[in-house]
Amino acid sequence: MAATDLERFSNEEKRNLSLGGHVGFDSLPDQLVSKSVAQGFSFNILCVGETGIGKSTLMNTLFNTTFETEEASHYEPAVRLRPRTYDLQESNVHLKLTIVDAVGFGDQINKDESYRPIVDYIDTQFENYLQEELKIRRSLFNYHDTRIHVCLYFITPTGHSLKSLDLVAMKKLDSKVNIIPIIAKADTISKSELHKFKIKIMSELVSNGVQIYQFPTDDEAVAEINSVMNAHLPFAVVGSIEEVKVGNKMVRARQYPWGVVQVENESHCDFVKLREMLIRVNMEDLREQTHTRHYELYRRCKLEEMGFKDTDPDSQPFSLQETYETKRKEFLCELQRKEEEMRQMFVNKVKETESELKEKERELHEKFEHLKRIHQEEKRKVEEKRRELEEEMNAFNRRKVAVETLQSQSLQATSQQPLKKDKDKKNHMTPPKGPLEVVTSPLCF
Ligand code: GTP
Ligand code: MG
C-alpha cells in the first residue's frame, strides 16, 4: 500500500458495519474474567492508627477469619511497617491479601517523623514495581504486586477533632495512596456526638486540603450507592471476634452489661458500609486508582528525575532513544570533565609535593653548611690549642734541658768541692757562691 493510501486510510472515519451472523468476539469479557480468575488477585491494605486502636480486630472482622497477630508494645523507638501476606479463597477466586501494620504509630514522644517510614514503605513498593517494568525480561504477569491499594486510617474516637499527627500523616500520604478514614471503636461514642464528630473531621480534612479516597460515581451501576456512601465518610466502625446470640442467630458483636453492639447492624455502626465499599463494590477501583493515579505519579516523577521526558524544549515529541542518546552524551561529557579535573588535581599534587621536597632539600643543605662551618671553626680552635700546647711543650722541654744542664753542672761542681774545701779551709772557710743560686732559679717558672 502506498504511503498516501495509508495516510488516507488512517484519516478516514471508522465506519460501523453490521455482522451477517454470530462471530463470537462477544465472549471477550468472559475470556478476560476467566483469565483473571485463573491468575488470581492481589489486594494490599495498609492499617495506620495508634497502638491498640482495633486494627487487627477490624481486619479479622472484615475478612471473617483470624489472621495471625501479636500485640504491639507502646515502646517502639520508631514506626515500623509489618507486612503479612495470606492466601484466601472464596468460591473459585483466589486473593493474595497483604495486610501491612504501621506498628508503633503515635507512640513516640517526638512524632514529627512518624509518617516517614510509611511514605518510604509505599515508595519502595512503587519502586520495586517500576524496576520490574524497566527490566528487559519483565515478568509482570506473575509479579507479586505489593503496592498499597488502600490505607485504612484509624481515627481515635475522641469526639473532639483530629490530632495534628492525623492531619500531617494523611496529608503526606494522600498523593501516594487511597485513604479511607474510619472512626475506630465507634461503640465508645454516643450517636449525637458521633454525628458532630464526623462533620468536624470532614471539615478539618477539607480545610487542610487532605484528599481522601472518593468512591467513584462514573460507573452507572454503582454511582448511586457510591455517592450515598461518600456522604457517610468517615465510617464509624466496631470490630469484634466474639459471637453473641441475638434472637436465634449467632452474630459478631460486643457484649456490654447494658446491651449488645452488633457489628453488622447498620443502626449500630458503619461496619457493613465499610465492607460493602471496600470489598464488595470498589476493590477493583482501588486497585485501578493505585495503578493509574498514584503509581503513575510516582513513575512520572521518578523518570523525570532521571532525565526522561516526552517532549524536547520546542514541545516536539522526544523518544526514549533520543533521551538515552542525550543522557549518554551528557554522561560522557561529565565523565571527561571529571577525568580532566582529576588529572589536573594529580598534576597539582605532584607539583606541590615536588616543591615541598625541594624546600626540604634546601633546608637540609643549609643545615649541612651551617654544621660544616661550626665543624671547621671547632677544628681551627683545636688546631690553635694544639699549636699553643706544642709551643708550651717546647718551652718546657727547653727549660727542662736547661735545668738538667745546670743540675749536671752543679753536680760536677759539688764533686770538685772537697778539693776546694781543703783549699777554702785554708782560705778561712769562705761560703760557696754562684752555681747554687742558678739551681733554684729554673724551678721558679
Ligand atoms: P496493635 O496491633 O497492638 O497496635 O493493636 P490493634 O490496633 O491491632 O488493636 P486490637 O485489634 O488488638 O485491639 C485492641 C483492643 O481493643 C482489644 O482488647 C480489642 O478487643 C479492643 N477492640 C477492638 N475493636 C474494638 C471496638 O470496635 N470497640 C471496642 N470498644 N473495643 C475494641
Ligand atoms: Mg494489631
Side-chain angles (χ1 to χ4, degrees):
M1 202 185 283
T4 44
D5 287 346
L6 253 174
E7 256 168 51
R8 192 150 37 82
F9 186 75
S10 59
N11 289 338
E12 260 176 30
E13 286 221 340
K14 287 173 202 89
R15 285 171 292 160
N16 286 327
L17 296 178
S18 52
L19 304 171
H22 180 244
V23 178
F25 59 76
D26 59 353
S27 69
L28 206 50
D30 303 330
Q31 291 174 35
L32 263 176
V33 168
S34 62
K35 205 170 169 183
S36 303
V37 167
Q39 199 182 333
F41 299 87
S42 68
F43 192 61
N44 308 318
I45 305 178
L46 168 67
C47 295
V48 181
E50 59 188 50
T51 305
I53 193 72
K55 303 183 286 290
S56 306
T57 312
L58 188 75
M59 286 301 110
N60 289 342
T61 322
L62 266 176
F63 288 92
N64 206 4
T65 185
T66 314
F67 296 112
E68 55 180 312
T69 175
E70 70 227 28
E71 270 182 29
S73 90
H74 283 276
Y75 306 104
E76 292 282 340
V79 178
R80 167 172 66 85
L81 280 291
R82 185 181 58 198
R84 286 207 170 127
T85 303
Y86 308 91
D87 270 321
L88 306 178
Q89 188 180 353
E90 191 168 47
S91 310
N92 61 342
V93 178
H94 289 268
L95 182 70
K96 196 175 263 195
L97 177 73
T98 302
I99 299 172
V100 185
D101 252 334
V103 181
F105 185 76
D107 278 338
Q108 295 73 38
I109 293 171
N110 183 353
K111 300 180 182 67
D112 285 359
E113 294 286 296
S114 292
Y115 68 88
R116 189 161 299 285
I118 306 173
V119 168
D120 288 349
Y121 181 87
I122 296 172
D123 280 348
T124 308
Q125 311 319 307
F126 283 150
E127 184 60 33
N128 292 346
Y129 192 85
L130 181 64
Q131 288 308 320
E132 188 61 37
E133 258 191 354
L134 295 176
K135 272 186 190 169
I136 308 254
R137 287 164 185 260
R138 304 183 294 178
S139 54
L140 289 170
F141 176 73
N142 53 7
Y143 175 79
H144 177 206
D145 188 0
T146 53
R147 294 172 297 173
I148 299 294
H149 298 120
V150 66
C151 164
L152 292 181
Y153 196 96
F154 291 69
I155 298 167
T156 318
T158 56
H160 284 255
S161 59
L162 285 170
K163 297 178 187 177
S164 50
L165 171 67
D166 299 328
L167 284 170
V168 171
M170 280 198 257
K171 186 89 196 115
K172 294 283 177 191
L173 292 174
D174 70 354
S175 60
K176 298 189 173 287
V177 67
N178 302 309
I179 301 176
I180 300 184
I182 52 180
I183 299 168
K185 299 190 179 179
D187 51 331
T188 60
I189 190 165
S190 77
K191 203 168 178 173
S192 59
E193 276 173 347
L194 183 65
H195 182 65
K196 281 188 212 146
F197 191 36
K198 277 191 177 189
I199 294 172
K200 185 97 202 259
I201 290 170
M202 287 316 282
S203 81
E204 275 186 330
L205 289 178
V206 170
S207 60
N208 285 283
V210 178
Q211 298 281 321
I212 59 165
Y213 174 71
Q214 291 292 308
F215 303 118
T217 50
D218 45 5
D219 178 356
E220 265 178 44
V222 289
E224 200 185 325
I225 181 162
N226 276 353
S227 59
V228 171
M229 289 300 156
N230 278 330
H232 273 92
L233 283 168
F235 294 136
V237 297
V238 173
S240 175
I241 43 171
E242 259 179 76
E243 293 224 319
V244 178
K245 195 161 186 185
V246 176
N248 53 2
K249 258 186 21 188
M250 292 299 281
V251 291
R252 292 215 174 207
R254 299 189 75 83
Q255 192 158 29
Y256 293 105
W258 54 87
V260 172
V261 180
Q262 294 171 37
V263 169
E264 294 188 46
N265 186 331
E266 283 201 60
S267 61
H268 290 191
C269 73
D270 298 332
F271 172 81
V272 171
K273 293 188 181 74
L274 173 68
R275 188 178 60 195
E276 200 70 13
M277 290 293 98
L278 178 70
I279 302 174
R280 300 185 182 176
V281 179
N282 296 306
M283 197 183 238
E284 185 47 30
D285 186 69
L286 285 162
R287 283 159 37 90
E288 203 180 292
Q289 290 287 321
T290 302
H291 186 71
T292 55
R293 209 169 118 220
H294 302 300
Y295 171 66
E296 207 53 34
L297 182 65
Y298 176 85
R299 182 182 168 278
R300 198 182 72 210
C301 294
K302 197 75 194 183
L303 292 183
E304 277 174 0
E305 223 174 74
M306 285 158 74
F308 291 103
K309 39 190 175 271
D310 292 333
T311 53
D312 65 8
D314 308 322
S315 307
Q316 292 302 310
F318 205 56
S319 75
L320 203 70
Q321 175 73 22
E322 283 167 314
T323 311
Y324 170 74
E325 285 299 334
T326 325
K327 277 272 134 197
R328 194 164 171 271
K329 270 188 204 138
E330 272 175 26
F331 173 72
L332 286 177
C333 283
E334 181 66 16
L335 199 74
Q336 244 172 11
R337 196 185 59 75
K338 281 244 157 69
E339 223 175 78
E340 179 57 30
E341 208 177 277
M342 279 180 74
R343 206 178 59 79
Q344 198 54 44
M345 230 163 76
F346 179 72
V347 169
N348 288 347
K349 204 94 200 143
V350 168
K351 273 186 188 160
E352 241 172 59
T353 321
E354 228 173 56
S355 69
E356 266 173 29
L357 276 174
K358 271 194 183 137
E359 178 64 17
K360 281 258 172 337
E361 195 183 314
R362 196 188 56 75
E363 276 174 17
L364 271 174
H365 196 261
E366 261 177 23
K367 214 169 176 173
F368 171 73
E369 286 297 319
H370 177 69
L371 285 172
K372 202 168 140 191
R373 270 198 306 277
I374 291 174
H375 171 74
Q376 275 171 353
E377 184 66 17
E378 288 290 317
K379 200 174 156 192
R380 194 188 54 75
K381 278 184 188 162
V382 168
E383 197 60 34
E384 216 166 76
K385 201 87 187 156
R386 194 177 64 83
R387 250 195 330 271
E388 274 173 21
L389 281 172
E390 257 174 22
E391 271 169 24
E392 274 175 22
M393 248 169 72
N394 288 344
F396 174 77
N397 284 339
R398 272 197 307 276
R399 280 188 202 118
K400 192 179 158 197
V401 170
V403 169
E404 278 169 359
T405 321
L406 282 173
Q407 269 178 346
S408 66
Q409 279 173 4
S410 103
L411 270 175
Q412 258 181 357
T414 338
S415 63
Q416 285 168 1
Q417 248 177 6
L419 294 173
K420 224 177 168 186
K421 245 182 201 170
D422 292 342
K423 260 190 215 175
D424 288 345
K425 268 182 189 170
K426 285 173 194 165
N427 293 332
H428 310 288
M429 300 278 283
T430 28
K433 272 183 201 167
L436 271 177
E437 282 166 34
V438 182
V439 169
T440 53
S441 67
L443 294 171
C444 301
F445 59 83

